[in-house]
Amino acid sequence: MQLLSIHERIGSRKHKEIYELIRRQGTVSKIDLLEQSQMTGSTLTRTLEELTAQGWLVEAGFGESTGGRRPILYQTNPLAGHVFGLDISRMSSKLILCDLHMNKLESKSWIMDENMTPVRLLNEIAETALAMMEAHGLTADGVLGMGIGAVGPLDRFAGVIMEPLYFPAAGWRDVHITSFLQEKLGFPISLDNGANTAIIGESWSDRNRDYRHLLYVHVGVGIRSAMMSNGKVVYGAVDMEGSIGQMIIQTDGPRLGDHGNYGCLETFASIHALEQKAHSRLKQGRESSLRYMEKDPDKISFTHLVQALKENDPLTVEIYSQAATYFGIGLSNLLNILHPEKVILGGSLISSHPSFFQMATRVAIRNTYHYPTYQVVFSQGHLGEEALVTGAAIMIINQLTEV
């Protein structure tokens, strides 16, 4: 099936430049655009007229007069197209449908249990997307595409989820997700790892602040990360999403299961690490309210730990504090190497209790070499757990102005 590429929808470089300027600012006057674009008045007028005629822009009233005629205000047309965002994670997956102003029109979530195989999930995603389109009167031509933020490692060019760990269901290996969904839905599908889509989402939500270098770290079942420099996601020779989790913190440390580095960060600061630590401590005879939640120590889960932490159970507080300290050490290593201006921390472990974020960032700052000369902003982001799926949809809109 031959599909029109998203970046071909807006034709010329001039059209893309003006569309992007307006998109980033929301509502802009022609006078401001003339100043920002360096175009001649006649070229700008013609470009605005053509984008408006094509339906990409709409006039949004008049600005304040500075002595002459009130300037026309322009904004992008939210109904010029629609986009899907899809987050595929180990604990849950989510699909959203949005207009071009990122107003969410529909959403659907799936619990990723032992029955949610790739075949089942992808079929349900396709059926749900088609149902959403029908409910809103959309054809495939009216959808720019679907962006997917998924657990890595993956091949974003081939559109393949390669061999991710810790999925409850079997079959998550060499999943050709983009070709499957493209054939079912009839519009372009783009794949990237979830950390990259999350940083795209968070960067867009904070676009009025001029942060040039951003770091995003997602701490949950595993540790996922992304870096953005000068507004662009930084890519390596291979998918880097899980690489931070393999940073060695203790050379003679333990190993999670039968994979990864011994003594790596993920072994000390992840949901699996916390669960294993709790199992071990309970078997050693440590007293804890966890014993009253589940008789079998091996059945203590992250949900139990979150509840025990809210009750200030001493053992759980100790386990959390150790994990936050180790994570802070790993974070300080990243700060000393990358020197981002802002660090966004997300994921279920970060959001489970304020103490984890607070302790980890304090430890990171204490171990940052150039502090206080080097100042970094720590944040839990504006989008929270919606960052991955929102960024996946924004990734598609961003392609409109790619050259």
Side-chain angles (χ1 to χ4, degrees), residues 18 21-34 36 48 58 60-61 71-75:
I18 294 302
L21 281 172
I22 296 171
R23 178 181 167 232
R24 290 199 162 272
Q25 296 171 81
T27 303
V28 194
S29 72
K30 186 175 177 181
I31 294 171
D32 289 337
L33 288 170
L34 196 60
Q36 295 168 23
L48 289 169
V58 291
I72 298 174
L73 300 176
Y74 290 89
Q75 67 177 24

Short mmCIF file of all heavy atoms in Angstrom, two decimals, residues 18 21-34 36 48 58 60-61 71-75:
data_model
loop_
_atom_site.label_atom_id
_atom_site.label_comp_id
_atom_site.label_asym_id
_atom_site.label_seq_id
_atom_site.Cartn_x
_atom_site.Cartn_y
_atom_site.Cartn_z
N ILE A 18 6.45 28.57 8.34
CA ILE A 18 5.39 29.42 8.88
C ILE A 18 4.43 28.58 9.73
O ILE A 18 4.01 29.01 10.82
CB ILE A 18 4.64 30.15 7.75
CG1 ILE A 18 5.58 31.13 7.05
CG2 ILE A 18 3.40 30.85 8.28
CD1 ILE A 18 6.18 32.18 7.98
N LEU A 21 6.08 27.93 13.10
CA LEU A 21 6.13 29.14 13.94
C LEU A 21 4.78 29.39 14.61
O LEU A 21 4.72 29.70 15.80
CB LEU A 21 6.51 30.36 13.09
CG LEU A 21 7.99 30.54 12.75
CD1 LEU A 21 8.16 31.69 11.75
CD2 LEU A 21 8.80 30.82 14.01
N ILE A 22 3.72 29.24 13.84
CA ILE A 22 2.38 29.46 14.40
C ILE A 22 2.02 28.35 15.38
O ILE A 22 1.48 28.61 16.47
CB ILE A 22 1.34 29.55 13.26
CG1 ILE A 22 1.64 30.78 12.38
CG2 ILE A 22 -0.08 29.63 13.82
CD1 ILE A 22 0.81 30.84 11.12
N ARG A 23 2.34 27.13 15.02
CA ARG A 23 2.01 25.98 15.88
C ARG A 23 2.65 26.11 17.26
O ARG A 23 2.04 25.82 18.28
CB ARG A 23 2.45 24.69 15.18
CG ARG A 23 2.22 23.43 15.99
CD ARG A 23 2.72 22.21 15.23
NE ARG A 23 2.78 21.08 16.13
CZ ARG A 23 3.83 20.30 16.31
NH1 ARG A 23 4.94 20.51 15.63
NH2 ARG A 23 3.80 19.30 17.17
N ARG A 24 3.89 26.56 17.29
CA ARG A 24 4.61 26.64 18.56
C ARG A 24 4.12 27.78 19.45
O ARG A 24 4.27 27.72 20.67
CB ARG A 24 6.12 26.78 18.32
CG ARG A 24 6.74 25.52 17.77
CD ARG A 24 8.23 25.45 17.94
NE ARG A 24 8.68 24.07 17.79
CZ ARG A 24 8.76 23.18 18.75
NH1 ARG A 24 8.42 23.52 19.98
NH2 ARG A 24 9.18 21.96 18.52
N GLN A 25 3.54 28.79 18.85
CA GLN A 25 3.12 29.95 19.64
C GLN A 25 1.62 29.99 19.89
O GLN A 25 1.15 30.79 20.71
CB GLN A 25 3.57 31.23 18.94
CG GLN A 25 5.09 31.34 18.87
CD GLN A 25 5.55 32.48 18.00
OE1 GLN A 25 5.57 33.64 18.43
NE2 GLN A 25 5.90 32.18 16.76
N GLY A 26 0.87 29.16 19.20
CA GLY A 26 -0.58 29.12 19.41
C GLY A 26 -1.31 30.08 18.50
O GLY A 26 -1.97 29.67 17.55
N THR A 27 -1.24 31.36 18.83
CA THR A 27 -1.88 32.40 18.01
C THR A 27 -0.84 33.49 17.75
O THR A 27 -0.23 34.00 18.69
CB THR A 27 -3.10 33.00 18.74
OG1 THR A 27 -4.01 31.96 19.07
CG2 THR A 27 -3.80 34.02 17.87
N VAL A 28 -0.65 33.86 16.48
CA VAL A 28 0.41 34.80 16.11
C VAL A 28 -0.13 35.80 15.10
O VAL A 28 -0.91 35.45 14.22
CB VAL A 28 1.62 34.06 15.48
CG1 VAL A 28 2.83 34.99 15.42
CG2 VAL A 28 1.97 32.81 16.23
N SER A 29 0.31 37.05 15.23
CA SER A 29 -0.09 38.07 14.27
C SER A 29 0.82 38.04 13.05
O SER A 29 1.96 37.55 13.12
CB SER A 29 -0.03 39.46 14.91
OG SER A 29 1.31 39.87 15.09
N LYS A 30 0.33 38.57 11.98
CA LYS A 30 1.11 38.63 10.74
C LYS A 30 2.36 39.49 10.95
O LYS A 30 3.44 39.19 10.40
CB LYS A 30 0.24 39.21 9.63
CG LYS A 30 0.88 39.20 8.26
CD LYS A 30 -0.11 39.67 7.22
CE LYS A 30 0.52 39.75 5.84
NZ LYS A 30 -0.44 40.24 4.82
N ILE A 31 2.24 40.53 11.77
CA ILE A 31 3.39 41.41 12.04
C ILE A 31 4.50 40.63 12.74
O ILE A 31 5.69 40.74 12.39
CB ILE A 31 2.95 42.61 12.91
CG1 ILE A 31 1.99 43.50 12.12
CG2 ILE A 31 4.16 43.42 13.38
CD1 ILE A 31 1.34 44.59 12.95
N ASP A 32 4.12 39.83 13.74
CA ASP A 32 5.12 39.03 14.45
C ASP A 32 5.76 38.00 13.52
O ASP A 32 6.97 37.75 13.59
CB ASP A 32 4.48 38.31 15.64
CG ASP A 32 4.12 39.28 16.77
OD1 ASP A 32 4.73 40.36 16.83
OD2 ASP A 32 3.22 38.96 17.55
N LEU A 33 4.96 37.42 12.65
CA LEU A 33 5.50 36.43 11.71
C LEU A 33 6.48 37.07 10.74
O LEU A 33 7.48 36.46 10.36
CB LEU A 33 4.36 35.76 10.94
CG LEU A 33 3.49 34.78 11.73
CD1 LEU A 33 2.27 34.39 10.91
CD2 LEU A 33 4.29 33.53 12.10
N LEU A 34 6.19 38.29 10.34
CA LEU A 34 7.08 39.00 9.43
C LEU A 34 8.45 39.20 10.08
O LEU A 34 9.50 39.03 9.44
CB LEU A 34 6.46 40.36 9.07
CG LEU A 34 7.02 41.10 7.87
CD1 LEU A 34 6.86 40.28 6.60
CD2 LEU A 34 6.31 42.45 7.71
N GLN A 36 9.69 37.35 12.64
CA GLN A 36 10.32 36.08 13.00
C GLN A 36 10.81 35.29 11.79
O GLN A 36 11.80 34.57 11.87
CB GLN A 36 9.33 35.22 13.79
CG GLN A 36 8.94 35.79 15.14
CD GLN A 36 7.77 35.07 15.76
OE1 GLN A 36 7.48 33.91 15.42
NE2 GLN A 36 7.06 35.72 16.67
N LEU A 48 0.69 32.65 3.81
CA LEU A 48 -0.44 32.57 4.74
C LEU A 48 -1.74 32.29 3.99
O LEU A 48 -2.57 31.49 4.44
CB LEU A 48 -0.55 33.86 5.54
CG LEU A 48 0.53 34.11 6.60
CD1 LEU A 48 0.46 35.54 7.12
CD2 LEU A 48 0.40 33.11 7.74
N VAL A 58 -6.16 28.89 10.19
CA VAL A 58 -7.42 29.64 10.25
C VAL A 58 -7.12 31.02 10.84
O VAL A 58 -6.19 31.18 11.63
CB VAL A 58 -8.48 28.94 11.12
CG1 VAL A 58 -8.97 27.67 10.44
CG2 VAL A 58 -7.96 28.64 12.52
N ALA A 60 -7.83 33.92 13.37
CA ALA A 60 -8.34 33.83 14.75
C ALA A 60 -8.61 35.22 15.32
O ALA A 60 -8.26 35.51 16.46
CB ALA A 60 -7.33 33.07 15.61
N GLY A 61 -9.19 36.08 14.51
CA GLY A 61 -9.53 37.41 15.00
C GLY A 61 -8.44 38.42 14.74
O GLY A 61 -7.61 38.25 13.84
N PRO A 71 -3.91 43.99 13.47
CA PRO A 71 -3.33 42.87 12.70
C PRO A 71 -4.18 41.60 12.79
O PRO A 71 -4.78 41.30 13.84
CB PRO A 71 -1.98 42.64 13.37
CG PRO A 71 -2.19 43.09 14.79
CD PRO A 71 -3.15 44.24 14.70
N ILE A 72 -4.23 40.86 11.69
CA ILE A 72 -4.92 39.57 11.69
C ILE A 72 -4.11 38.56 12.49
O ILE A 72 -2.89 38.51 12.39
CB ILE A 72 -5.10 39.05 10.24
CG1 ILE A 72 -5.97 40.02 9.44
CG2 ILE A 72 -5.72 37.65 10.24
CD1 ILE A 72 -6.07 39.67 7.97
N LEU A 73 -4.79 37.77 13.31
CA LEU A 73 -4.15 36.70 14.07
C LEU A 73 -4.39 35.37 13.37
O LEU A 73 -5.48 35.12 12.85
CB LEU A 73 -4.71 36.64 15.50
CG LEU A 73 -4.55 37.90 16.36
CD1 LEU A 73 -5.23 37.71 17.70
CD2 LEU A 73 -3.07 38.24 16.54
N TYR A 74 -3.38 34.53 13.38
CA TYR A 74 -3.48 33.21 12.77
C TYR A 74 -3.22 32.12 13.80
O TYR A 74 -2.43 32.30 14.74
CB TYR A 74 -2.47 33.07 11.62
CG TYR A 74 -2.79 33.90 10.41
CD1 TYR A 74 -2.31 35.20 10.30
CD2 TYR A 74 -3.58 33.39 9.39
CE1 TYR A 74 -2.61 35.98 9.19
CE2 TYR A 74 -3.88 34.15 8.26
CZ TYR A 74 -3.39 35.45 8.18
OH TYR A 74 -3.70 36.21 7.07
N GLN A 75 -3.87 30.98 13.62
CA GLN A 75 -3.53 29.79 14.38
C GLN A 75 -3.69 28.57 13.48
O GLN A 75 -4.31 28.65 12.42
CB GLN A 75 -4.41 29.66 15.63
CG GLN A 75 -5.87 29.39 15.36
CD GLN A 75 -6.66 29.21 16.65
OE1 GLN A 75 -6.28 29.68 17.71
NE2 GLN A 75 -7.79 28.51 16.56
#
